[in-house]
Amino acid sequence: MTINTMKKTRSSFSGRLTVGALLVALSLSPLQAQAQAQTGSDPVVLNFVNADIPSVIKAVGELTGKNFIIDPRVKGTVIITSAKPVPRDQVYPILLSALRMQGFSAIEGRGVVKIVPEAEAKQNYSVTRGKELRDSGDHIITQVYPLVYESAAQMMPVLRPLIGPNNTIAVLPNSNTLVITDYADNVRRLNAIIEAVDQPSANDTALIRLSHVSAVDLAQSLGRLMADGPAGGQAAPGGSKLLIVPDVRSNSLLVRSDNPARIQTLRGLVAGLDVPGALGGNIHVVYLRNAEAAKLAETLRGILTGEVPAALASTPSLGTGTAPSASPATTSSSALSGPAGGSMILADSATNSLIINAPDVTYNALRAVIDKLDARRAQVFIEALVVEIAAEKAAEFGIQWQDLRKLYDEGTNFIGGTNLGGRGTGSNIIDASVNLGSLGQGLNIGLVSGTITIPGLGLVTNLGMLARALESDADANILSTPNLMTLDNEEAKIVVGQNVPFITGSYAQTGSSTTATPFQTIERKDVGLTLRVRPQVSEGGTVKLQIYQEISNLSQTTTVASDLITNMRSIDSTVLVDDGRIIVLGGLISDTTQDGVDKVPLLGDIPGLGYLFKYEKRKRVKTNLMVFLRPYVLRDTASSDALTGERYDFIRQRQAEFQMKPNIMLPDMGIKPLPPLWAPSLPQRVSPPQPVQPEPAQAPVPAQPLPEPTTPPTAP
């Protein structure tokens, strides 16, 4: 099949006539279309002269069967001519090349190709490839290329001029990776350049053995000097990268650099520093970052003497809280005997540092131990959930009679009645006669006939009949979510409640005066919610928790007691739980039913009529109490910031939702909202000053994944 366009001598009509001729050529009969389907591999002669770009795209779509979406900004004309027929599978790549020359790009998606301006191509979806690339042509792709030997940051200035201004190249320094978005053919060219440059160097790694000085101390000093920053691979001003890692076991330095001259310079410095110490020069000062100097000094003395320190001999149980005793600024110790004879270890609490006076061999061994013990301790954020659901239902009904009218008549007279319910309960007819205000809540109906004087009670209301009816329904849903954070293997405690006084004794002394002087002893106790936890984090992320949970409150019972009565529910347990998982500690599910009847014998048993001679009470109390716990292990600053920021934003949102309604009679209190977490009004995080001996180079500890913040779990 051949597609030809017609040309007119007048240029003003050439484009329009070309499009018309193109559409005529494409308007084929069904028989011709069937023939083309059978001979789909037939070559095609392309001859587009000043043809409108959308029309050319439409023609290519008819030939290739592709669906196109054209941006309205894609306009203009294009010239495509072929002296010889070309295969049909080459028509689409030829179109992409023509569009690229006009400043347009094709974005290939699922079943459709979008034609957009080249400047916006990188912002749309494109095919993403890894290091292995097989694509070609003039369509936009994105490649993620990880480098093995060379620095991605150093490669970027070399590759940037080879990429069009509308396309991008980015660097990920942490993973040493390049992210390139460009045409497939150009990306293949860049890959060839990268593969030729990213090759191993014969002199990039060296091993330097030490005889006298400590590898840890020397790595810190040389790392700051050679790399213009802490050891561990900082880039020097010249652009080269230097990595110094101490090997404690062999007391050697492992050095890696992309510049062999820097390794030779480093060897010369090490040779000058690795010499025996001068007389009296065996005193070393080690600044600690995380450990406590006094405790670590005691541990090191135990290593040298072979004696177990008292602090390590026994582990304090939960709640004992054995805190270290206060010590002066500098804790001294006598010279150690045995294999470490002549050595001395002092702890300076003011600067949290160790002063070690020991031979080089002993100091190098101790320095390796200090480096491992002086590691950042993990923190544990513990989320507790206490859910208590209580339901109480009660019902009372009864009728009482009383006849006192003939109390003072002459002769023998009859008086009496039913006296049901305990005195002082608010349901007794005698209490109601003395004081109608003593009746309890509910429906109270009575028959009154004046007043009467009863011996022992005085003047009372002549209450002849009392009918009471009461039904109560009380529900309670108490949700407590105490949270606390503590260091690994350190006890933490939170108390939310009241400090209630309890009388423990009383004494009255009269002496020479006639008036007694009372005296009472009082002990105060916490009543409310108490959570005490000691977490212990394992290397695998499992958390061992020693837990003491207590829930107490003052009892509202009317039972006669000498002092206050408290209801207490507590849990004392040790459990294992994975990081971020919820575990149930325990609970209480109780269902109490009470049914009581006060009645007159025989009369109260008469069906129907017996309700006039009895008093019934029924009560049912259901209580569901469950305690849940979830620990989060925070190993680095990023984890702590994420958790703190989520809780802080929650409080800011709740405060913003609270708004006082305007009132013309009351002033506006002007509640000031909380500032953002890192607002200037809050203390800013600043980098701590670099100590004399910075951190040694070591592999970073991978942080445990923190689960996404969730709402508190709902009780079953």
Side-chain angles (χ1 to χ4, degrees), residues 222-354:
L222 294 177
R224 291 175 57 87
L225 176 65
M226 300 294 294
D228 195 21
Q234 298 293 333
S240 59
K241 188 176 182 180
L242 180 67
L243 182 66
I244 304 175
V245 179
D247 182 67
V248 179
R249 185 184 62 84
S250 61
N251 196 35
S252 304
L253 294 178
L254 299 175
V255 184
R256 179 179 177 182
S257 176
D258 52 5
N259 188 351
R262 293 177 62 82
I263 297 181
Q264 295 300 326
T265 303
L266 188 64
R267 287 182 180 274
L269 292 176
V270 172
L273 295 175
D274 188 24
V275 295
L279 184 62
N282 292 331
I283 301 178
H284 307 272
V285 179
V286 181
Y287 293 93
L288 304 179
R289 305 182 308 275
N290 302 289
E292 187 176 346
K295 293 183 178 180
L296 187 56
E298 186 176 356
T299 303
L300 296 178
R301 296 188 197 108
I303 293 175
L304 295 180
T305 59
E307 298 178 359
V308 180
L312 302 178
S314 61
T315 302
S317 59
L318 188 64
T320 57
T322 58
S325 58
S327 60
T330 302
T331 304
S332 62
S333 65
S334 58
L336 304 176
S337 59
S343 301
M344 181 177 295
I345 302 175
L346 307 178
D348 184 61
S349 302
T351 58
N352 195 37
S353 58
L354 295 176

Side-chain angles (χ1 to χ4, degrees), residues 230-497:
Q234 298 293 333
S240 59
K241 188 176 182 180
L242 180 67
L243 182 66
I244 304 175
V245 179
D247 182 67
V248 179
R249 185 184 62 84
S250 61
N251 196 35
S252 304
L253 294 178
L254 299 175
V255 184
R256 179 179 177 182
S257 176
D258 52 5
N259 188 351
R262 293 177 62 82
I263 297 181
Q264 295 300 326
T265 303
L266 188 64
R267 287 182 180 274
L269 292 176
V270 172
L273 295 175
D274 188 24
V275 295
L279 184 62
N282 292 331
I283 301 178
H284 307 272
V285 179
V286 181
Y287 293 93
L288 304 179
R289 305 182 308 275
N290 302 289
E292 187 176 346
K295 293 183 178 180
L296 187 56
E298 186 176 356
T299 303
L300 296 178
R301 296 188 197 108
I303 293 175
L304 295 180
T305 59
E307 298 178 359
V308 180
L312 302 178
S314 61
T315 302
S317 59
L318 188 64
T320 57
T322 58
S325 58
S327 60
T330 302
T331 304
S332 62
S333 65
S334 58
L336 304 176
S337 59
S343 301
M344 181 177 295
I345 302 175
L346 307 178
D348 184 61
S349 302
T351 58
N352 195 37
S353 58
L354 295 176
I355 304 174
I356 302 176
N357 185 7
D360 291 340
V361 177
T362 304
Y363 171 74
N364 293 338
L366 292 177
R367 191 64 182 86
V369 176
I370 294 172
D371 185 61
K372 293 183 178 297
L373 296 181
D374 190 27
R376 179 189 176 99
R377 297 172 62 184
Q379 297 185 100
V380 181
F381 179 81
I382 302 170
E383 226 176 24
L385 177 64
V386 182
V387 184
E388 183 175 1
I389 303 175
E392 179 177 348
K393 296 183 179 181
E396 300 180 19
F397 180 78
I399 299 176
Q400 303 176 58
W401 300 90
Q402 185 175 258
D403 186 8
L404 303 175
R405 291 176 298 175
K406 297 183 179 182
L407 180 63
Y408 291 101
D409 291 353
E410 296 180 357
T412 301
N413 300 309
F414 174 81
I415 63 172
T418 58
N419 179 14
L420 305 178
R423 296 292 301 275
T425 60
S427 62
N428 190 273
I429 191 173
I430 296 179
D431 291 339
S433 299
V434 177
N435 181 12
L436 292 177
S438 63
L439 290 175
Q441 59 182 357
L443 177 64
N444 297 280
I445 301 176
L447 296 177
V448 180
S449 177
T451 59
I452 189 171
T453 302
I454 300 178
L457 296 179
L459 183 64
V460 299
T461 302
N462 188 10
L463 183 62
M465 186 269 293
L466 175 64
R468 275 183 45 80
L470 172 66
E471 182 176 351
S472 62
D473 190 353
D475 296 328
N477 183 5
I478 302 175
L479 176 66
S480 302
T481 56
N483 301 332
L484 69 162
M485 183 182 293
T486 180
L487 279 175
D488 180 22
N489 209 25
E490 294 290 342
E491 180 184 335
K493 176 182 178 181
I494 183 173
V495 178
V496 181

Side-chain angles (χ1 to χ4, degrees), residues 14 42 62 113 131 189 200 436 461 531 535 549 631 633 640 681:
S14 60
D42 293 343
E62 295 288 344
V113 180
K131 189 173 182 179
R189 181 181 66 153
L436 292 177
T461 302
L531 175 63
Q549 173 88 44
V633 180
S640 302
S681 58

Side-chain angles (χ1 to χ4, degrees), residues 209 420 538 638:
R209 298 188 179 276
L420 305 178
S538 65

